[in-house]
Amino acid sequence: MTNETWGEIREQLQKRLGKNNYSTWIEPLVFAELTDGVAQFEVPTSFFGDWVRRNYGDHIRKLLISSGLGVERVDFTVNTAPRTATKPAVAEPAPAAKAPTRAKAMRSRAADEDLPGAPLDARFTFDTFVVGKPNELAHAAARRVAEGGPVSFNPLFLYGGVGLGKTHLMHAIAHDLQSRRPDLRVLYLSAEQFMYRFVQALRDRSVMDFKELFRSVDVLMVDDVQFIAGKDSTQEEFFHTFNALVDQNKQIVISADRAPGEIKDLEERIKSRLQCGLVVDLHPTDYELRLGILQQKADQYRDQYRGLVIAPGVLEFLAHRITTNVRVLEGALTRLFAFASLVGREITLDLTQDCLADILRASDRKVTIEEIQRKVAEHYNIRLSDMIGPKRLRTIARPRQVAMYLSKQLTPRSLPEIGRRFGGRDHTTIMHGVRKIEELMATDSQLSDDLQLLKRLLQA
Ligand code: ADP
Ligand code: MG
């Protein structure tokens, strides 16, 4: 791209975004280069880059495409040698220094060698992955694969809900393998891209090339494999690729949003193949993990904005309140720092509540006692009326206590309030029930599994 084109695009951005946004966020961008479908811009700070990526990245990309450029992604890297802000000149001199940028240094080998892989995100490394109870197994398995030693389980199948770190771990494996074993051909792509390439090969009558290419890699990683469910010819091709690589003892890593057996419209033979290796589940985050992730992010931001103060308790508050997924958590913190630095204020609890009101409202747990009673009754196959009724039979009293326990855990209701919803029981009865379950949980693994499942169902 010439700087002239960028000049024109900037004019369009100014019209679309308004003068203020334009001069704050677009004017300081310096176009660096366009290679392999990635348009690189230099930005003054990484926060700045994050902000522009989130808010305007798509606008910019679309405008670049509509001016005829093959752009798959726009990327923002921090410009280490500060440059004087440029005027929105139509023809400015080409930027002289092209310091090797982080994104460039980390570009996947796949792209360099014309493997049809997706670009790797330079931020998704093992260093930046916070390990906690919910993800420790997945992390350990990913580390093992990243060593590039003899294949000990194939495939590695990672699954879990949105935003729990599947893609992060896969990129981390690819980064690590690239530096540890540069001799290996590592291919990372999403299942959607796999399908797209396959369809393209069908259209171009180059299926043999496609097959050859995919069978020539040493490590194949396919992200979000649930995507190919129900897409018959792609599934078929995936199955053959998969088998060919396993036969050659090449490592395969797969991710999905659920366990292999639970993916609807996926062929049985594929399901059973996927279950042959190591299937690991990324559990929903717990409080400690969320706090750890927030602390890591906050440390990065603190380096970036010297002088920005974050009051004690703010991170704890966020870890407690935003339980949905890590992406939302990160977004919240980014917005908070952006806001605080714009207004030049300390990040206090008040500021946090103002700035994040919408996110906090959306992640409020809205589980009700009635829902809990209904789900628990269903799970243990008892009548809903028995939840509040007087029966003392163990087969009924125990589920009732489970419901009491969950009501205490998942709702903000007090013990007397809970008592009222359980047929007017006394608060000491509720307390006894809660304690009983806590006690049993430690020794009764069936019960603790039940509780985990119920919690997950109720919070979904
Ligand atoms: P998924 O692919 O499971 O939907 P991602 O890997 O895209 O989730 O993660 C979403 C965001 O959360 C990414 O920015 C990622 O870096 C971050 N993230 C998730 N888990 C962790 C973790 N354990 N430590 C640090 N960052 C994490
Ligand atoms: Mg993902």
Side-chain angles (χ1 to χ4, degrees):
M1 166 168 75
T2 61
N3 280 289
E4 212 162 318
T5 325
W6 176 227
E8 282 162 20
I9 290 171
R10 297 212 300 190
E11 281 179 22
Q12 294 183 43
L13 282 167
Q14 180 165 9
K15 277 182 210 140
R16 275 195 202 191
L17 307 178
K19 212 169 169 45
N20 272 341
N21 283 332
Y22 175 82
S23 59
T24 313
W25 301 109
I26 306 296
E27 217 172 77
L29 296 179
V30 177
F31 169 65
E33 59 176 350
L34 172 62
T35 18
D36 295 342
V38 182
Q40 263 323 317
F41 292 89
E42 290 178 2
V43 289
T45 65
S46 72
F47 155 68
F48 192 102
D50 270 354
W51 181 278
V52 177
R53 179 183 299 113
R54 269 169 217 272
N55 292 286
Y56 309 121
D58 236 28
H59 273 307
I60 297 175
R61 191 175 55 88
K62 284 185 184 141
L63 284 172
L64 291 169
I65 291 171
S66 66
S67 60
L69 298 163
V71 177
E72 281 169 26
R73 196 156 64 85
V74 287
D75 208 358
F76 303 92
T77 44
V78 178
N79 168 16
T80 36
R83 184 190 294 274
T84 47
T86 48
K87 286 241 162 289
V90 174
E92 75 196 28
K98 274 193 198 166
T101 54
R102 195 176 47 162
K104 188 168 183 193
M106 301 294 284
R107 185 166 306 135
S108 78
R109 239 168 68 88
D112 291 339
E113 294 194 358
D114 272 351
L115 283 176
L120 299 177
D121 191 316
R123 292 163 306 171
F124 292 176
T125 62
F126 283 120
D127 284 346
T128 58
F129 191 81
V130 181
V131 183
K133 256 222 153 52
N135 60 24
E136 63 180 339
L137 257 176
H139 172 260
R143 283 275 193 187
R144 169 62 65 81
V145 169
E147 284 167 10
V151 174
S152 44
F153 38 77
N154 218 1
L156 168 59
F157 189 98
L158 300 170
Y159 77 92
V162 171
L164 296 182
K166 301 180 294 293
T167 299
H168 189 136
L169 278 178
M170 290 177 107
H171 286 213
I173 294 173
H175 284 310
D176 240 35
L177 278 173
Q178 278 167 18
S179 58
R180 212 184 300 242
R181 295 285 311 270
D183 56 310
L184 294 182
R185 287 163 67 84
V186 178
L187 178 57
Y188 164 86
L189 81 178
S190 66
E192 186 177 2
Q193 286 161 327
F194 180 88
M195 182 189 84
Y196 177 73
R197 303 281 169 188
F198 178 60
V199 170
Q200 201 171 32
L202 285 175
R203 205 176 49 211
D204 301 345
R205 298 170 195 281
S206 58
V207 174
M208 284 321 287
D209 294 346
F210 176 91
K211 285 182 189 290
E212 215 166 284
L213 193 92
F214 274 90
R215 283 158 180 63
S216 71
V217 303
D218 297 301
V219 180
L220 175 66
M221 300 203 261
V222 181
D223 207 348
D224 290 320
V225 81
Q226 74 278 355
F227 181 85
I228 61 164
K231 312 207 164 61
D232 293 340
S233 50
T234 302
Q235 276 194 49
E236 174 89 19
E237 185 55 35
F238 175 77
F239 182 67
H240 293 310
T241 306
F242 185 96
N243 288 340
L245 288 172
V246 169
D247 286 347
Q248 298 176 58
N249 216 13
K250 307 292 192 190
Q251 180 72 56
I252 298 177
V253 184
I254 306 282
S255 85
D257 64 355
R258 64 201 72 184
E262 288 165 16
I263 304 177
K264 254 184 58 190
D265 296 327
L266 192 66
E267 280 183 49
E268 280 309 321
R269 54 179 187 166
I270 299 186
K271 283 186 194 173
S272 69
R273 270 301 209 163
L274 290 175
Q275 278 158 341
C276 282
L278 181 63
V279 177
V280 213
D281 164 354
L282 285 127
H283 294 278
T285 56
D286 59 14
Y287 173 79
E288 285 88 357
L289 179 59
R290 289 194 295 271
L291 188 59
I293 292 171
L294 285 168
Q295 277 162 346
Q296 171 182 278
K297 274 257 148 198
D299 282 346
Q300 285 169 16
Y301 283 136
R302 268 195 214 100
D303 286 346
Q304 228 169 285
Y305 307 101
R306 286 168 201 263
L308 205 58
V309 180
I310 179 158
V314 168
L315 296 182
E316 287 78 2
F317 170 78
L318 291 177
H320 180 67
R321 288 291 302 274
I322 303 179
T323 54
T324 39
N325 78 51
V326 181
R327 203 169 291 137
V328 176
L329 202 60
E330 286 184 341
L333 200 64
T334 305
R335 190 203 293 179
L336 196 55
F337 271 87
F339 186 69
S341 88
L342 285 177
V343 298
R345 273 164 56 192
E346 177 184 346
I347 302 179
T348 58
L349 266 176
D350 277 350
L351 182 108
T352 305
Q353 271 163 333
D354 279 355
C355 173
L356 302 178
D358 55 336
I359 298 178
L360 292 171
R361 219 176 306 122
S363 30
D364 262 349
R365 295 203 208 103
K366 287 185 210 79
V367 186
T368 64
I369 294 178
E370 287 68 28
E371 260 174 280
I372 294 172
Q373 291 173 331
R374 200 169 341 108
K375 273 271 182 296
V376 173
E378 238 170 64
H379 180 78
Y380 288 103
N381 238 329
I382 64 172
R383 283 204 201 92
L384 183 56
S385 56
D386 283 338
M387 276 286 162
I388 42 181
K391 287 192 191 152
R392 283 159 169 265
L393 227 64
R394 165 79 65 85
T395 48
I396 287 169
R398 191 71 83 227
R400 190 188 291 133
Q401 287 172 333
V402 165
M404 290 173 182
Y405 169 84
L406 289 171
S407 300
K408 183 77 197 102
Q409 281 250 309
L410 304 182
T411 74
R413 305 275 164 238
S414 65
L415 292 174
E417 278 175 305
I418 298 173
R420 250 172 273 138
R421 312 286 179 90
F422 278 84
R425 286 178 162 80
D426 191 67
H427 77 275
T428 53
T429 311
I430 306 299
M431 194 155 65
H432 171 76
V434 172
R435 292 231 175 104
K436 186 78 203 165
I437 296 300
E438 278 170 353
E439 233 173 77
L440 288 172
M441 234 175 12
T443 51
D444 184 341
S445 64
Q446 175 63 49
L447 179 67
S448 83
D449 284 354
D450 284 354
L451 284 167
Q452 249 196 18
L453 176 76
L454 283 164
K455 264 193 207 173
R456 221 192 270 197
L457 288 174
L458 285 161
Q459 287 178 317

